[in-house]
């Protein structure tokens, strides 16, 4: 399900056709250079995103804000699990 969302519902045959068209347009010698450039660009975007996250975290800590929301979320999830187990406990089947 997640892979469908990532590729925007493009099938394997369509991806293969797109790759074939890229090969025809740019040629076999340019495709590795293009892929290398895309990889470097993706790495720069990832690094920039991590830098932004760290700056936001540092400024939030400096202001005394609680940045660890995961504990609260996990606590709520555990409470919901307990409630569901409490309700469905008598009707669960053993497999």
């Amino acid at each position: 399900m997640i892979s469908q969302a990532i590729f925007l519902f493009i099938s394997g045959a369509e991806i293969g056709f797109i790759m074939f068209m890229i090969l025809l347009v740019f040629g076999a010698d340019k495709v590795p250079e293009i892929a290398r450039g895309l990889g470097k660009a993706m790495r720069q975007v990832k690094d920039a995103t991590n830098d932004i996250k760290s700056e936001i975290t540092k400024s939030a800590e400096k202001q005394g804000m609680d940045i660890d929301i995961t504990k609260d979320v996990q606590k709520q999830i555990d409470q919901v699990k307990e409630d569901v187990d409490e309700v469905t406990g008598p009707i669960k089947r053993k497999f």
Side-chain angles (χ1 to χ4, degrees):
M1 172 110 176
I2 293 174
S3 64
Q4 290 176 345
I6 291 173
F7 291 114
L8 302 174
F9 304 105
I10 297 176
S11 70
E14 292 167 341
I15 292 173
F17 180 73
I18 291 169
M19 297 297 281
F20 178 71
M21 292 305 293
I22 289 172
L23 186 64
L24 284 176
V25 171
F26 295 109
D29 55 338
K30 295 289 181 182
V31 172
E33 293 174 23
I34 293 170
R36 200 172 302 118
L38 286 173
K40 286 180 183 178
M42 289 173 56
R43 181 65 183 181
Q44 288 177 347
V45 168
K46 184 178 178 182
D47 289 342
T49 304
N50 289 337
D51 289 342
I52 292 170
K53 282 182 188 179
S54 66
E55 287 297 322
I56 290 172
T57 303
K58 286 179 187 176
S59 64
E61 288 175 350
K62 196 180 279 187
Q63 296 295 326
M65 297 173 64
D66 183 23
I67 58 169
D68 194 18
I69 195 168
T70 57
K71 290 179 185 176
D72 296 332
V73 172
Q74 188 63 41
K75 187 176 180 181
Q76 291 294 326
I77 290 171
D78 291 340
Q79 182 63 38
V80 170
K81 284 181 182 178
E82 289 175 9
D83 292 344
V84 169
D85 286 341
E86 189 176 298
V87 171
T88 61
I91 58 174
K92 283 186 178 178
R93 292 187 213 172
K94 295 183 180 182
F95 293 104

